[in-house]
Amino acid sequence: MIDDDRLTSYDPTTDGADFYESLEGMRVTVRAPRVVADTNANGETYVVASLGAGATGLSSRGGMTISAGDVNPETIKIYQGTAAAGAYHQGDTLNDVTGIVNYFEGEYEVDPIGTVSAATSAALPRETTTLVGTVSGLSYASFNLENLAPVATRATGDTDVTYAAKQAIVDARFTTHANEIVNALHNPDIIGVQEVQDADGENAGTDLSGAATAQKLIDAITAAGGATYRYVEVAPTATNTSGGAPNGNIRNGFLFNTERVSYVEGSTTAIQAEAYAGTRKPVVADFVFNGQMFTAIDMHSTSRGGSDALYGANQPPTTPATPRAPRRRPRPRPMSMRCSRAIRRISSSSTATSTASTTRPRCRRWHRPAIAEPCPT
């Protein structure tokens, strides 16, 4: 439980928010951290302590799953900076991590003061499906291509060398996706794909079709030994009207195995409704398999952004679709408790000042008392 009283009482033994707040600015050690998600591009690694002992929501593959009333306050973020991007993977274990507890952008984190190193590597195998198309059974998959375009985005100042390096990364994505379709998904008969960018990608251009993007993926699938696919879509009619990255003009579409499925020509339509204004439209198409008509719908909703931070001032956190509960004024904490905590922070401030990460500023919570508050006599 992160908080169950809208921050009206201080309960560090039962509320995750109060527990982490009681440690902010202090030097702590996370014993036997188990990584629950790959280190992201910002160098943030989420872990649970003690190899996950007592943690709820820990899956068989080492990830954390949320449930009603439980958003996993056991999870701890370790921040190392962008140089550590991709350093650790789900299921890895780390040696003990010592650092300073910090609060940044709605989350508590541990900023290490020494070296962070792996104790064991999980090397989780990629999952593969056991579902395949049969003589009487059609296979269907949904695949988010995550802003896939055939060309890299050219930035001001790019040289031929730097742009070529960016293009190599783009090309590698097509190879990766093709291998996933062929070897992990086993060539589904129909694939509903999302976030297909146009031929120019995020560069300014007038070609709004995603055909070039899809064909490059189809060619990569063929090179990987996969099935022969064809692509259909309904392209946006104007630039920057379908959401996603600027100028990318993402859309949904279908890849289908021409050796297994027939497409009903002209059946592809985009659903027009107020709910989809300014974002990608769900696309519908008819196919024939074994003499039977099959209607596929490919929908990719807008990201649900704008939610409150889990450890923010609004408790419980609200999402854009959830009405915000009335806020109550936090209950004043006893002076003796606040003074005791202030003294503890002051006693460790020299360590925190000299050893805490300097790559990001400290960010105090909105209701925190001043650290130098005088003690009653």
Side-chain angles (χ1 to χ4, degrees):
M1 175 67 66
I2 288 180
D3 178 82
D4 62 0
D5 51 45
R6 299 183 186 172
L7 303 176
T8 58
S9 66
Y10 180 63
D11 309 301
T13 60
T14 58
D15 289 3
D18 293 335
F19 171 75
Y20 289 117
E21 184 183 5
S22 73
L23 298 174
E24 186 184 2
M26 294 187 180
R27 175 174 172 162
V28 300
T29 293
V30 183
R31 305 289 186 192
R34 178 174 178 175
V35 178
V36 297
D38 291 3
T39 307
N40 63 28
N42 294 322
E44 298 165 330
T45 306
Y46 290 85
V47 304
V48 287
S50 304
L51 301 179
T56 58
L58 195 61
S59 73
S60 60
R61 285 180 63 86
M64 294 294 279
T65 55
I66 65 173
S67 58
D70 183 3
V71 289
N72 313 128
E74 308 95 325
T75 304
I76 303 166
K77 180 173 73 175
I78 296 173
Y79 174 73
Q80 295 176 267
T82 56
Y88 308 110
H89 303 282
Q90 183 173 304
D92 292 353
T93 62
L94 307 180
N95 293 306
D96 293 355
V97 176
T98 297
I100 308 302
V101 177
N102 188 16
Y103 182 80
F104 182 79
E105 292 189 345
E107 285 187 291
Y108 287 98
E109 64 187 23
V110 174
D111 295 342
I113 60 176
T115 302
V116 177
S117 60
T120 64
S121 176
L124 288 175
R126 298 285 292 178
E127 290 184 292
T128 60
T129 184
T130 58
L131 301 174
V132 295
T134 64
V135 172
S136 59
L138 176 108
S139 61
Y140 181 94
S142 178
F143 200 126
N144 187 336
L145 297 173
E146 297 185 333
N147 287 300
L148 189 66
V151 294
T153 304
R154 185 178 289 277
T156 302
D158 271 349
T159 66
D160 290 344
V161 173
T162 57
Y163 184 76
K166 292 165 70 172
Q167 184 62 46
I169 294 173
V170 168
D171 295 341
R173 289 190 64 201
F174 282 86
T175 301
T176 298
H177 289 334
N179 285 328
E180 289 172 338
I181 289 169
V182 175
N183 300 312
L185 296 177
H186 303 311
N187 299 296
D189 296 327
I190 302 173
I191 308 173
V193 290
Q194 300 92 40
E195 296 195 13
V196 178
Q197 291 192 350
D198 62 28
D200 305 305
E202 293 171 38
N203 301 294
T206 58
D207 186 352
L208 301 183
S209 171
T213 306
Q215 189 59 52
K216 186 167 182 172
L217 179 58
I218 290 169
D219 292 343
I221 293 171
T222 301
T228 301
Y229 284 95
R230 181 184 160 193
Y231 175 73
V232 293
E233 67 169 29
V234 176
T237 56
T239 190
N240 294 322
T241 59
S242 59
N247 299 323
N249 302 307
I250 58 174
R251 81 294 312 277
N252 305 330
F254 294 103
L255 293 171
F256 62 95
N257 183 344
T258 58
E259 297 176 357
R260 296 258 305 161
V261 175
S262 298
Y263 167 62
V264 178
E265 296 295 335
S267 65
T268 305
T269 57
I271 298 176
Q272 304 293 331
E274 184 179 350
Y276 309 117
T279 187
R280 48 269 187 184
K281 310 297 188 291
V283 64
V284 182
D286 294 331
F287 302 91
V288 176
F289 174 75
N290 273 359
Q292 293 183 316
M293 181 82 74
F294 176 86
T295 299
I297 302 175
D298 185 6
M299 180 172 177
H300 181 43
S301 297
T302 302
S303 300
R304 199 175 186 182
S307 301
D308 288 336
L310 290 178
Y311 292 92
N314 295 306
Q315 295 294 334
T318 58
T319 66
T322 305
R324 176 162 289 167
R327 251 248 320 271
R328 302 178 188 173
R329 178 178 293 277
R331 183 183 302 165
R333 296 172 184 162
M335 181 63 75
S336 58
M337 178 184 295
R338 290 185 285 172
C339 177
S340 172
R341 293 174 62 205
I343 290 173
R344 284 188 292 158
R345 287 201 182 89
I346 291 171
S347 68
S348 62
S349 62
S350 60
T351 300
T353 300
S354 62
T355 59
S357 170
T358 58
T359 56
R360 301 202 297 195
R362 293 199 50 194
C363 181
R364 295 196 176 280
R365 279 183 70 168
W366 63 281
H367 64 285
R368 184 173 303 289
I371 196 169
E373 184 173 0
C375 298
T377 57

